Amino acid sequence: MMRSIKSWLHDHPYSYALFYFIPYLIIFELLETFVVPKYYIHCFIDDMIPFHESFVIPYFTWFPLLAISLGYFLFHSRKEFLELCFMMFTGMSICLFIYMILPNGLDLRVNITHTNWLADIARLLQQIDTPTNVCPSIHVASTIAICFVVCRSHLFQHPFLVKSACLIISVFICISTMVLKQHSFIDVILGFALSSLLYYVTYHTNWQKYFMKTPLRILFS
């Protein structure tokens, strides 16, 4: 089993891009633990958005969306896999850098009074996810990056269904971040703007040539 995995990795070196998650998670957790917000994000639109615990369902849909999209392109298209990794991981890195130099947070959370299983999940989310490091929203930026790559792809057997489903799921994920008071409207707009900028870089520049000058060139071999 291990020999087969090692052999597959050797034959598909671009898969090593997934190791990005190791330093990303370490840095993110350090920021969550030690960063104290200096800037609190808020706008009048945030006050107009009601809280509802049912939006934990689309919010947590982000995790399977992330895994399925990366896994699908990993096994079906090196080109699109690397495009998704570049757009998404660059966006995550930029967000982490912004959190370091402009430590930010939220003061939007509400007291959850409902007693049902969705409310219990929402309360747990508030406990494990501090209202810090929010702008731009990584949740939103990575979702939009996935949506962009999926909508450009020609791999799917039923493209209309797949792309429509991805678009609808992406919209609900972005909305859920605001309804659950995990993010401000400003966080969402800037997350969308960040991935839109990276979309241009990904598809309209020769970004690969810069990687060819670094040890990361192994990803393109």
Side-chain angles (χ1 to χ4, degrees):
M1 179 69 175
M2 288 301 298
R3 183 175 298 178
S4 298
I5 294 174
K6 289 181 180 179
S7 177
W8 191 91
L9 290 173
H10 180 269
D11 294 336
H12 303 83
Y14 58 89
S15 61
Y16 289 116
L18 294 176
F19 284 103
Y20 168 84
F21 282 110
I22 296 175
Y24 164 76
L25 290 172
I26 292 172
I27 295 171
F28 184 82
E29 287 303 318
L30 288 173
L31 290 173
E32 286 284 286
T33 303
F34 297 108
V35 167
V36 177
K38 293 183 180 179
Y39 308 97
Y40 285 87
I41 313 301
H42 182 265
C43 74
F44 72 95
I45 296 178
D46 299 327
D47 301 326
M48 300 169 61
I49 301 174
F51 173 89
H52 201 285
E53 65 271 12
S54 63
F55 276 79
V56 297
I57 296 175
Y59 185 86
F60 281 103
T61 302
W62 179 80
F63 294 98
L65 178 68
L66 186 72
I68 291 170
S69 58
L70 284 170
Y72 181 84
F73 290 119
L74 173 65
F75 291 107
H76 291 85
S77 171
R78 181 182 73 167
K79 178 178 179 293
E80 287 169 310
F81 173 76
L82 289 174
E83 288 169 348
L84 176 57
C85 287
F86 173 75
M87 195 186 311
M88 186 161 60
F89 296 167
T90 303
M92 289 176 168
S93 299
I94 291 173
C95 287
L96 293 179
F97 180 72
I98 292 173
Y99 302 159
M100 290 179 193
I101 62 173
L102 298 171
N104 57 73
L106 294 176
D107 189 18
L108 298 176
R109 292 189 170 178
V110 299
N111 184 30
I112 303 172
T113 58
H114 294 171
T115 55
N116 56 65
W117 67 276
L118 291 172
D120 291 340
I121 295 174
R123 276 189 286 269
L124 178 62
L125 175 62
Q126 288 187 350
Q127 293 173 11
I128 63 178
D129 187 10
T130 65
T132 58
N133 308 313
V134 296
C135 187
S137 167
I138 291 177
H139 216 80
V140 170
S142 54
T143 298
I144 298 303
I146 292 168
C147 192
F148 281 155
V149 177
V150 168
C151 288
R152 281 183 60 97
S153 178
H154 299 289
L155 294 175
F156 308 115
Q157 187 174 359
H158 303 287
F160 178 78
L161 291 177
V162 172
K163 295 177 184 183
S164 297
C166 183
L167 180 60
I168 292 170
I169 290 170
S170 297
V171 169
F172 272 94
I173 288 174
C174 294
I175 292 173
S176 73
T177 65
M178 295 180 287
V179 175
L180 293 175
K181 305 303 178 180
Q182 291 293 110
H183 285 284
S184 164
F185 177 75
I186 296 172
D187 307 337
V188 172
I189 293 298
L190 291 182
F192 180 87
L194 175 58
S195 283
S196 298
L197 175 62
L198 290 171
Y199 175 92
Y200 177 84
V201 175
T202 302
Y203 295 110
H204 298 282
T205 70
N206 188 16
W207 55 273
Q208 298 93 333
K209 70 177 182 180
Y210 298 103
F211 285 85
M212 298 304 293
K213 301 176 182 179
T214 74
L216 292 175
R217 61 181 176 272
I218 188 177
L219 301 177
F220 302 90
S221 61

